[in-house]
Amino acid sequence: MKNRNYIIVIVVCLVLAGLIFYATRSNNVGGIESLESGKLIWVKCSNPDCGATYQMDEKDYFLQIHEQTRAHPMALQTPALVCKKCGKESVYKAFKCEKCGTIFFSGAVPNDFADRCPVCGYSKTEAIREARKASPGDS
Ligand SMILES: [Zn+2]
Ligand SMILES: [Zn+2]
């Protein structure tokens, strides 16, 4: 009988540990809470009948990505967000080209900077790197 009580105590401890682990894990939104809101990013709907582009808070974006990742844990790609216009899960992160104003999906040009404009070829990441290269020792 004593042995059995022992086992029950151990099982209860394990369950508690599991619950605590799960609770702390689900509260921690991967550091998203530490992100400051107020930074707007562009998103674009990949539904050809919709094609909506709009801005959203970067923090909201990551929170929704987190929710979608939890809803589809087996998905290998970045999950799509629900479009606020057509209601389908077809919205992805996008960039707005500073040069020509085109709004395009992140990584529109394969094997290149994610923010490379497919229309005029401008990339802000590249421009920043070039500017850094141009002024060495300026740190
Ligand atoms: Zn849409
Ligand atoms: Zn452009």
Side-chain angles (χ1 to χ4, degrees):
M1 256 338 222
K2 262 190 177 175
N3 261 346
R4 220 172 149 188
N5 280 344
Y6 237 145
I7 289 167
I8 290 169
V9 167
I10 288 169
V11 167
V12 168
C13 281
L14 281 176
V15 168
L16 272 179
L19 281 178
I20 291 166
F21 174 75
Y22 190 78
T24 45
R25 209 176 71 143
S26 52
N27 276 341
N28 176 17
V29 197
I32 296 170
E33 284 305 320
S34 62
L35 273 175
E36 282 182 35
S37 43
K39 192 192 171 194
L40 290 177
I41 60 158
W42 281 95
V43 292
K44 185 174 176 174
C45 180
S46 68
N47 175 4
D49 295 329
C50 174
T53 54
Y54 53 92
Q55 282 185 292
M56 66 188 294
D57 201 289
E58 189 176 38
K59 191 175 177 177
D60 285 343
Y61 171 81
F62 282 116
L63 281 173
Q64 287 187 37
I65 287 284
H66 183 76
E67 286 299 312
Q68 293 293 94
T69 309
R70 274 217 295 211
H72 311 282
M74 300 307 280
L76 293 173
Q77 290 175 322
T78 310
L81 300 186
V82 175
C83 176
K84 71 176 183 183
K85 216 171 178 185
C86 67
K88 293 206 167 97
E89 287 184 6
S90 52
V91 160
Y92 295 94
K93 189 177 184 183
F95 290 102
K96 183 173 186 176
C97 177
E98 287 183 10
K99 293 284 172 197
C100 69
T102 307
I103 295 166
F104 53 93
F105 289 118
S106 170
V109 180
N111 305 317
D112 209 328
F113 294 116
D115 62 351
R116 171 83 71 196
C117 174
V119 176
C120 73
Y122 177 76
S123 158
K124 195 180 178 184
T125 306
E126 184 186 53
I128 291 169
R129 283 191 194 180
E130 291 297 320
R132 274 201 201 131
K133 255 192 255 166
S135 55
D138 195 37
S139 50

